[in-house]
Amino acid sequence: MDYTGERFIPNNDGLEIEAEHMHRYSSIAESLKGMRVLDAGCGTGYGSFLISQFAKKVVGIDISQEAVDWCNKNYASQKNLEFIQGSLEAIPFDREEFDCVVSFEVIEHVDPSIQRTFLGEARRVLKKNGVLIISTPNKLVYTDKSGYHNPFHIHEFYEDEFKQFLNQEFLVTKFYNQSLYTVSSIYEDHHTTAGVKMFQHSSLDSAGKYMIALCSNTNKVIPTIKLDSVYKFDNPGGIHFSSLYVGTDNKEYSQAQKETGVLLNQEDNRFSITFDLSAYEHISKFRFDPVEDNFCICSIEEVLTDGTVESTSPLNALNYHKQGFLFMNIDPQFEINGDFANASYITIKGYFKILSQSEISEFVDYFYKKMIEATEKA
């Protein structure tokens, strides 16, 4: 897909752009567990894919057939996720099909007439207690104060204008601001503190660069969706695509027997990822690739399954370093052996951390010195 700078493509943009986009989807994903979700204006589908790790069903629509084709190619293995071509002004679904409609950084790309039509369409396809989660730039901060005019934006909103716009179709609304700052964090040990007090320099805008709204016609769902959060982006790759290759009847691992999922880091770089095995028979082993195209430290600490695990081991790690195996290659791999003939799922838990550039440099220097020492001794 051609890169224009406007449509976010994971691993192709800078960390700041990634943080802005990924934080929005990350903040809502777990709250949408068990829901049927429409991602209106899905773009490259990374957000739809992330939500699909929790939601019952996710459908992404986009006006660009190129984007839809790209998404279907890259996320084909996710069974509860599909992408179709569709526009904001004519959402191709019947009434009350979705529990949630998500539309992040889309509405500013169309004119006011289509914006108004989309709002009615979103209400139409939502169930009576459904919720619209929508974001758009705050024109005051994004454009007026910065002096930057995005050529892809047709009509942006000021805060009061955005609220009035949403109230045309929805009775209950709740608003959030999103901004990207460099921060210094001080928090209680073990994260036991109940809240965070924010000190803000007077030169920073009190209004957010982006506005995010929860909209509904009842107050049943909105209280269950909590967006207050901080997105840490000190390491690259905010969304990690993991792969599980299924080995059956002594056959070699292949793309034909591959499951894909999102590895979500929890507190202290812990992760948990689950794969559905119901489509396979006679499973004897797995190859787990935690990430693609990144150096990392990773360890498998626990495997939960209704099969039997005999062993787990890294296939191409360099050595063990503090909390996990060090992978100085872009295709880290673990193998899990056992009896999984009748297994229906596998959950892999462990430690995972992408290496920063400074850490990579440190390891390269360390191994270079070791290599020199070994040469001198020889």
Side-chain angles (χ1 to χ4, degrees):
M1 180 184 295
D2 291 337
Y3 177 71
T4 65
E6 181 65 9
R7 180 182 284 129
F8 172 66
I9 302 176
N11 300 319
N12 201 51
D13 275 294
L15 291 183
E16 292 186 7
I17 299 298
E18 178 181 278
E20 290 177 345
H21 285 74
M22 289 306 307
H23 191 185
R24 285 187 282 268
Y25 281 103
S26 298
S27 68
I28 66 170
E30 291 190 59
S31 298
L32 306 184
K33 187 175 182 179
M35 293 188 184
R36 286 180 56 84
V37 180
L38 174 69
D39 190 5
C42 62
T44 56
Y46 63 93
S48 308
F49 186 64
L50 178 56
I51 293 172
S52 72
Q53 307 305 302
F54 301 92
K56 179 179 180 180
K57 172 72 175 182
V58 180
V59 180
I61 65 169
D62 200 277
I63 192 66
S64 167
Q65 186 63 53
E66 178 191 19
V68 170
D69 292 343
W70 191 90
C71 291
N72 281 322
K73 177 182 178 181
N74 283 272
Y75 308 122
S77 63
Q78 189 67 24
K79 296 178 178 61
N80 66 333
L81 175 62
E82 68 173 309
F83 297 92
I84 63 174
Q85 196 276 335
S87 69
L88 297 183
E89 56 187 326
I91 297 177
F93 292 97
D94 294 333
R95 296 180 61 86
E96 301 182 18
E97 285 206 32
F98 296 96
D99 301 291
C100 178
V101 173
V102 176
S103 188
F104 286 155
E105 304 307 294
V106 178
I107 199 168
E108 64 275 6
H109 294 87
V110 296
D111 64 43
S113 175
I114 297 177
Q115 290 175 344
R116 182 65 186 85
T117 302
F118 164 68
L119 199 63
E121 283 287 274
R123 180 177 178 178
R124 179 182 65 80
V125 300
L126 278 171
K127 296 178 181 178
K128 294 188 184 304
N129 62 344
V131 59
L132 167 67
I133 309 178
I134 184 171
S135 78
T136 194
N138 184 332
K139 187 176 181 180
L140 177 65
V141 179
Y142 185 91
T143 299
D144 294 354
K145 291 188 176 181
S146 71
Y148 170 69
H149 295 268
N150 191 318
F152 295 96
H153 293 183
I154 295 176
H155 182 259
E156 297 174 351
F157 291 88
Y158 292 107
E159 183 177 350
D160 288 345
E161 180 187 7
F162 189 48
K163 291 179 178 180
Q164 293 172 10
F165 169 73
L166 295 174
N167 285 335
Q168 294 178 85
E169 290 286 351
F170 295 96
L171 300 175
V172 182
T173 55
K174 185 176 182 179
F175 291 87
Y176 292 82
N177 289 321
Q178 180 190 17
S179 292
L180 185 67
Y181 302 127
T182 299
V183 301
S184 169
S185 62
I186 302 174
Y187 52 84
E188 187 178 351
D189 192 22
H190 303 304
H191 300 269
T192 57
T193 182
V196 176
K197 184 177 181 180
M198 183 173 179
F199 295 88
Q200 182 169 296
H201 194 276
S202 60
S203 65
L204 298 176
D205 289 301
S206 57
K209 184 179 180 181
Y210 303 97
M211 303 176 289
I212 307 175
L214 307 182
C215 313
S216 183
N217 283 306
T218 74
N219 202 30
K220 293 182 178 179
V221 180
I222 285 181
T224 69
I225 302 175
K226 308 292 185 182
L227 274 70
D228 298 284
S229 55
V230 175
Y231 185 89
K232 185 180 178 184
F233 62 106
D234 59 331
N235 286 313
I239 182 168
H240 311 298
F241 298 108
S242 297
S243 300
L244 185 77
Y245 292 86
V246 180
T248 60
D249 295 332
N250 296 319
K251 292 181 179 179
E252 295 296 323
Y253 298 121
S254 70
Q255 293 290 328
Q257 296 196 132
K258 171 186 172 183
E259 296 294 313
T260 305
V262 174
L263 187 149
L264 299 174
N265 272 35
Q266 301 170 352
E267 189 175 6
D268 299 326
N269 294 317
R270 257 59 195 183
F271 74 89
S272 176
I273 186 168
T274 299
F275 296 95
D276 180 10
L277 305 177
S278 58
Y280 302 96
E281 297 179 347
H282 311 300
I283 305 171
S284 58
K285 60 182 179 178
F286 304 99
R287 196 188 90 190
F288 174 58
D289 297 5
V291 72
E292 295 180 359
D293 300 325
N294 280 290
F295 297 160
C296 70
I297 294 174
C298 185
S299 65
I300 295 177
E301 298 173 349
E302 184 179 16
V303 178
L304 304 176
T305 178
D306 46 1
T308 303
V309 179
E310 295 176 358
S311 65
T312 63
S313 58
L315 292 179
N316 56 355
L318 200 55
N319 62 13
Y320 193 85
H321 178 77
K322 293 183 178 179
Q323 292 177 288
F325 292 96
L326 174 64
F327 293 90
M328 294 291 284
N329 60 74
I330 60 174
D331 188 24
Q333 301 172 5
F334 288 87
E335 187 163 79
I336 303 171
N337 288 282
D339 181 5
F340 309 101
N342 299 309
S344 62
Y345 77 97
I346 185 169
T347 297
I348 303 170
K349 297 184 176 183
Y351 177 90
F352 174 80
K353 183 180 185 298
I354 294 288
L355 296 181
S356 65
Q357 289 299 320
S358 60
E359 288 172 322
I360 293 173
S361 297
E362 290 174 5
F363 284 122
V364 169
D365 289 343
Y366 171 77
F367 289 116
Y368 178 74
K369 290 178 182 179
K370 289 294 183 181
M371 183 180 67
I372 296 298
E373 291 173 1
T375 303
E376 290 175 348
K377 289 180 180 179

